[in-house]
PDB file of all heavy atoms in Angstrom:
ATOM      1  N   SER U 184       4.206 -10.295   8.914  1.00  0.00           N
ATOM      2  CA  SER U 184       3.655 -11.534   9.449  1.00  0.00           C
ATOM      3  C   SER U 184       2.651 -12.006   8.404  1.00  0.00           C
ATOM      4  O   SER U 184       1.635 -11.353   8.176  1.00  0.00           O
ATOM      5  CB  SER U 184       2.963 -11.310  10.794  1.00  0.00           C
ATOM      6  OG  SER U 184       3.894 -10.911  11.778  1.00  0.00           O
ATOM      7  N   ILE U 185       2.948 -13.124   7.743  1.00  0.00           N
ATOM      8  CA  ILE U 185       2.183 -13.559   6.586  1.00  0.00           C
ATOM      9  C   ILE U 185       1.477 -14.862   6.888  1.00  0.00           C
ATOM     10  O   ILE U 185       2.109 -15.862   7.246  1.00  0.00           O
ATOM     11  CB  ILE U 185       3.107 -13.756   5.359  1.00  0.00           C
ATOM     12  CG1 ILE U 185       3.841 -12.449   5.044  1.00  0.00           C
ATOM     13  CG2 ILE U 185       2.327 -14.233   4.149  1.00  0.00           C
ATOM     14  CD1 ILE U 185       5.316 -12.598   4.982  1.00  0.00           C
ATOM     15  N   ILE U 186       0.155 -14.870   6.743  1.00  0.00           N
ATOM     16  CA  ILE U 186      -0.612 -16.098   6.861  1.00  0.00           C
ATOM     17  C   ILE U 186      -0.689 -16.727   5.475  1.00  0.00           C
ATOM     18  O   ILE U 186      -1.257 -16.152   4.555  1.00  0.00           O
ATOM     19  CB  ILE U 186      -2.027 -15.843   7.416  1.00  0.00           C
ATOM     20  CG1 ILE U 186      -1.946 -15.235   8.814  1.00  0.00           C
ATOM     21  CG2 ILE U 186      -2.826 -17.143   7.441  1.00  0.00           C
ATOM     22  CD1 ILE U 186      -3.292 -14.896   9.408  1.00  0.00           C
ATOM     23  N   ARG U 187      -0.099 -17.921   5.326  1.00  0.00           N
ATOM     24  CA  ARG U 187      -0.098 -18.617   4.042  1.00  0.00           C
ATOM     25  C   ARG U 187      -1.319 -19.530   3.952  1.00  0.00           C
ATOM     26  O   ARG U 187      -2.036 -19.732   4.948  1.00  0.00           O
ATOM     27  CB  ARG U 187       1.208 -19.404   3.889  1.00  0.00           C
ATOM     28  CG  ARG U 187       2.425 -18.489   3.793  1.00  0.00           C
ATOM     29  CD  ARG U 187       3.713 -19.249   3.960  1.00  0.00           C
ATOM     30  NE  ARG U 187       3.980 -20.151   2.856  1.00  0.00           N
ATOM     31  CZ  ARG U 187       4.732 -19.830   1.794  1.00  0.00           C
ATOM     32  NH1 ARG U 187       5.274 -18.631   1.708  1.00  0.00           N
ATOM     33  NH2 ARG U 187       4.943 -20.706   0.829  1.00  0.00           N
ATOM     34  N   PRO U 188      -1.597 -20.074   2.751  1.00  0.00           N
ATOM     35  CA  PRO U 188      -2.809 -20.896   2.572  1.00  0.00           C
ATOM     36  C   PRO U 188      -2.912 -22.081   3.516  1.00  0.00           C
ATOM     37  O   PRO U 188      -4.009 -22.571   3.766  1.00  0.00           O
ATOM     38  CB  PRO U 188      -2.680 -21.366   1.111  1.00  0.00           C
ATOM     39  CG  PRO U 188      -1.910 -20.290   0.430  1.00  0.00           C
ATOM     40  CD  PRO U 188      -0.909 -19.834   1.467  1.00  0.00           C
ATOM     41  N   ASN U 189      -1.786 -22.529   4.077  1.00  0.00           N
ATOM     42  CA  ASN U 189      -1.843 -23.654   5.012  1.00  0.00           C
ATOM     43  C   ASN U 189      -2.267 -23.237   6.416  1.00  0.00           C
ATOM     44  O   ASN U 189      -2.298 -24.063   7.338  1.00  0.00           O
ATOM     45  CB  ASN U 189      -0.499 -24.383   5.062  1.00  0.00           C
ATOM     46  CG  ASN U 189       0.636 -23.493   5.549  1.00  0.00           C
ATOM     47  OD1 ASN U 189       0.420 -22.364   5.991  1.00  0.00           O
ATOM     48  ND2 ASN U 189       1.864 -23.999   5.475  1.00  0.00           N
ATOM     49  N   GLY U 190      -2.561 -21.939   6.597  1.00  0.00           N
ATOM     50  CA  GLY U 190      -3.027 -21.446   7.887  1.00  0.00           C
ATOM     51  C   GLY U 190      -1.928 -21.140   8.879  1.00  0.00           C
ATOM     52  O   GLY U 190      -2.213 -20.775  10.021  1.00  0.00           O
ATOM     53  N   LYS U 191      -0.644 -21.273   8.470  1.00  0.00           N
ATOM     54  CA  LYS U 191       0.479 -21.007   9.361  1.00  0.00           C
ATOM     55  C   LYS U 191       1.058 -19.622   9.095  1.00  0.00           C
ATOM     56  O   LYS U 191       0.873 -19.051   8.020  1.00  0.00           O
ATOM     57  CB  LYS U 191       1.544 -22.084   9.194  1.00  0.00           C
ATOM     58  CG  LYS U 191       1.053 -23.476   9.598  1.00  0.00           C
ATOM     59  CD  LYS U 191       2.144 -24.516   9.468  1.00  0.00           C
ATOM     60  CE  LYS U 191       1.638 -25.894   9.884  1.00  0.00           C
ATOM     61  NZ  LYS U 191       2.709 -26.926   9.782  1.00  0.00           N
ATOM     62  N   LEU U 192       1.783 -19.108  10.077  1.00  0.00           N
ATOM     63  CA  LEU U 192       2.298 -17.741  10.029  1.00  0.00           C
ATOM     64  C   LEU U 192       3.795 -17.761   9.715  1.00  0.00           C
ATOM     65  O   LEU U 192       4.560 -18.502  10.329  1.00  0.00           O
ATOM     66  CB  LEU U 192       2.050 -17.040  11.364  1.00  0.00           C
ATOM     67  CG  LEU U 192       2.159 -15.524  11.395  1.00  0.00           C
ATOM     68  CD1 LEU U 192       1.057 -14.888  10.570  1.00  0.00           C
ATOM     69  CD2 LEU U 192       2.084 -15.021  12.842  1.00  0.00           C
ATOM     70  N   TYR U 193       4.204 -16.907   8.753  1.00  0.00           N
ATOM     71  CA  TYR U 193       5.595 -16.826   8.317  1.00  0.00           C
ATOM     72  C   TYR U 193       6.073 -15.380   8.332  1.00  0.00           C
ATOM     73  O   TYR U 193       5.270 -14.448   8.282  1.00  0.00           O
ATOM     74  CB  TYR U 193       5.746 -17.391   6.899  1.00  0.00           C
ATOM     75  CG  TYR U 193       5.424 -18.865   6.779  1.00  0.00           C
ATOM     76  CD1 TYR U 193       4.093 -19.292   6.696  1.00  0.00           C
ATOM     77  CD2 TYR U 193       6.423 -19.819   6.756  1.00  0.00           C
ATOM     78  CE1 TYR U 193       3.782 -20.645   6.593  1.00  0.00           C
ATOM     79  CE2 TYR U 193       6.124 -21.178   6.648  1.00  0.00           C
ATOM     80  CZ  TYR U 193       4.803 -21.573   6.562  1.00  0.00           C
ATOM     81  OH  TYR U 193       4.508 -22.920   6.462  1.00  0.00           O
ATOM     82  N   SER U 194       7.386 -15.192   8.348  1.00  0.00           N
ATOM     83  CA  SER U 194       7.949 -13.845   8.316  1.00  0.00           C
ATOM     84  C   SER U 194       8.360 -13.416   6.914  1.00  0.00           C
ATOM     85  O   SER U 194       8.608 -12.241   6.669  1.00  0.00           O
ATOM     86  CB  SER U 194       9.170 -13.753   9.243  1.00  0.00           C
ATOM     87  OG  SER U 194      10.209 -14.615   8.796  1.00  0.00           O
ATOM     88  N   HIS U 195       8.443 -14.370   5.957  1.00  0.00           N
ATOM     89  CA  HIS U 195       8.822 -14.065   4.581  1.00  0.00           C
ATOM     90  C   HIS U 195       7.812 -14.691   3.615  1.00  0.00           C
ATOM     91  O   HIS U 195       7.320 -15.806   3.847  1.00  0.00           O
ATOM     92  CB  HIS U 195      10.230 -14.592   4.268  1.00  0.00           C
ATOM     93  CG  HIS U 195      11.322 -13.789   4.911  1.00  0.00           C
ATOM     94  ND1 HIS U 195      11.479 -13.720   6.281  1.00  0.00           N
ATOM     95  CD2 HIS U 195      12.296 -13.016   4.379  1.00  0.00           C
ATOM     96  CE1 HIS U 195      12.512 -12.940   6.563  1.00  0.00           C
ATOM     97  NE2 HIS U 195      13.026 -12.502   5.423  1.00  0.00           N
ATOM     98  N   TRP U 196       7.581 -13.977   2.516  1.00  0.00           N
ATOM     99  CA  TRP U 196       6.615 -14.425   1.527  1.00  0.00           C
ATOM    100  C   TRP U 196       7.078 -15.722   0.834  1.00  0.00           C
ATOM    101  O   TRP U 196       6.257 -16.545   0.453  1.00  0.00           O
ATOM    102  CB  TRP U 196       6.422 -13.346   0.464  1.00  0.00           C
ATOM    103  CG  TRP U 196       5.791 -12.100   0.961  1.00  0.00           C
ATOM    104  CD1 TRP U 196       6.435 -10.975   1.422  1.00  0.00           C
ATOM    105  CD2 TRP U 196       4.392 -11.818   1.060  1.00  0.00           C
ATOM    106  NE1 TRP U 196       5.532 -10.029   1.799  1.00  0.00           N
ATOM    107  CE2 TRP U 196       4.263 -10.503   1.585  1.00  0.00           C
ATOM    108  CE3 TRP U 196       3.252 -12.535   0.753  1.00  0.00           C
ATOM    109  CZ2 TRP U 196       3.017  -9.906   1.806  1.00  0.00           C
ATOM    110  CZ3 TRP U 196       2.013 -11.910   0.970  1.00  0.00           C
ATOM    111  CH2 TRP U 196       1.907 -10.629   1.497  1.00  0.00           C
ATOM    112  N   ASP U 197       8.372 -15.841   0.610  1.00  0.00           N
ATOM    113  CA  ASP U 197       8.879 -16.849  -0.316  1.00  0.00           C
ATOM    114  C   ASP U 197       9.765 -17.894   0.342  1.00  0.00           C
ATOM    115  O   ASP U 197      10.542 -18.562  -0.332  1.00  0.00           O
ATOM    116  CB  ASP U 197       9.676 -16.158  -1.422  1.00  0.00           C
ATOM    117  CG  ASP U 197      10.855 -15.347  -0.865  1.00  0.00           C
ATOM    118  OD1 ASP U 197      10.829 -15.015   0.336  1.00  0.00           O
ATOM    119  OD2 ASP U 197      11.786 -15.067  -1.627  1.00  0.00           O
ATOM    120  N   ASP U 198       9.658 -18.059   1.667  1.00  0.00           N
ATOM    121  CA  ASP U 198      10.583 -18.965   2.358  1.00  0.00           C
ATOM    122  C   ASP U 198       9.842 -19.752   3.427  1.00  0.00           C
ATOM    123  O   ASP U 198       9.431 -19.195   4.450  1.00  0.00           O
ATOM    124  CB  ASP U 198      11.725 -18.154   2.991  1.00  0.00           C
ATOM    125  CG  ASP U 198      12.877 -19.012   3.474  1.00  0.00           C
ATOM    126  OD1 ASP U 198      12.628 -20.184   3.823  1.00  0.00           O
ATOM    127  OD2 ASP U 198      14.012 -18.513   3.499  1.00  0.00           O
ATOM    128  N   GLU U 199       9.663 -21.061   3.176  1.00  0.00           N
ATOM    129  CA  GLU U 199       8.938 -21.893   4.144  1.00  0.00           C
ATOM    130  C   GLU U 199       9.731 -22.050   5.435  1.00  0.00           C
ATOM    131  O   GLU U 199       9.171 -22.401   6.469  1.00  0.00           O
ATOM    132  CB  GLU U 199       8.633 -23.256   3.523  1.00  0.00           C
ATOM    133  CG  GLU U 199       7.615 -23.181   2.385  1.00  0.00           C
ATOM    134  CD  GLU U 199       7.213 -24.551   1.887  1.00  0.00           C
ATOM    135  OE1 GLU U 199       7.642 -25.558   2.491  1.00  0.00           O
ATOM    136  OE2 GLU U 199       6.470 -24.608   0.891  1.00  0.00           O
ATOM    137  N   GLY U 200      11.039 -21.785   5.361  1.00  0.00           N
ATOM    138  CA  GLY U 200      11.852 -21.866   6.573  1.00  0.00           C
ATOM    139  C   GLY U 200      11.635 -20.723   7.528  1.00  0.00           C
ATOM    140  O   GLY U 200      12.145 -20.743   8.643  1.00  0.00           O
ATOM    141  N   SER U 201      10.815 -19.725   7.113  1.00  0.00           N
ATOM    142  CA  SER U 201      10.583 -18.554   7.971  1.00  0.00           C
ATOM    143  C   SER U 201       9.343 -18.749   8.855  1.00  0.00           C
ATOM    144  O   SER U 201       8.795 -17.773   9.369  1.00  0.00           O
ATOM    145  CB  SER U 201      10.407 -17.299   7.111  1.00  0.00           C
ATOM    146  OG  SER U 201       9.190 -17.336   6.377  1.00  0.00           O
ATOM    147  N   LEU U 202       8.944 -20.007   9.056  1.00  0.00           N
ATOM    148  CA  LEU U 202       7.782 -20.314   9.882  1.00  0.00           C
ATOM    149  C   LEU U 202       7.903 -19.704  11.274  1.00  0.00           C
ATOM    150  O   LEU U 202       8.924 -19.824  11.936  1.00  0.00           O
ATOM    151  CB  LEU U 202       7.624 -21.835  10.004  1.00  0.00           C
ATOM    152  CG  LEU U 202       6.514 -22.338  10.941  1.00  0.00           C
ATOM    153  CD1 LEU U 202       5.154 -22.012  10.365  1.00  0.00           C
ATOM    154  CD2 LEU U 202       6.668 -23.830  11.167  1.00  0.00           C
ATOM    155  N   ILE U 203       6.870 -18.994  11.704  1.00  0.00           N
ATOM    156  CA  ILE U 203       6.813 -18.438  13.066  1.00  0.00           C
ATOM    157  C   ILE U 203       6.049 -19.388  13.975  1.00  0.00           C
ATOM    158  O   ILE U 203       6.528 -19.823  15.002  1.00  0.00           O
ATOM    159  CB  ILE U 203       6.158 -17.041  13.053  1.00  0.00           C
ATOM    160  CG1 ILE U 203       6.978 -16.097  12.156  1.00  0.00           C
ATOM    161  CG2 ILE U 203       6.055 -16.492  14.474  1.00  0.00           C
ATOM    162  CD1 ILE U 203       6.322 -14.740  11.947  1.00  0.00           C
TER     163      ILE U 203
END
Side-chain angles (χ1 to χ4, degrees):
S184 295
I185 302 126
I186 299 177
R187 294 167 68 94
N189 62 8
K191 296 182 180 181
L192 196 67
Y193 296 80
S194 63
H195 287 65
W196 294 93
D197 59 340
D198 192 332
E199 292 186 6
S201 69
L202 175 69
I203 300 173

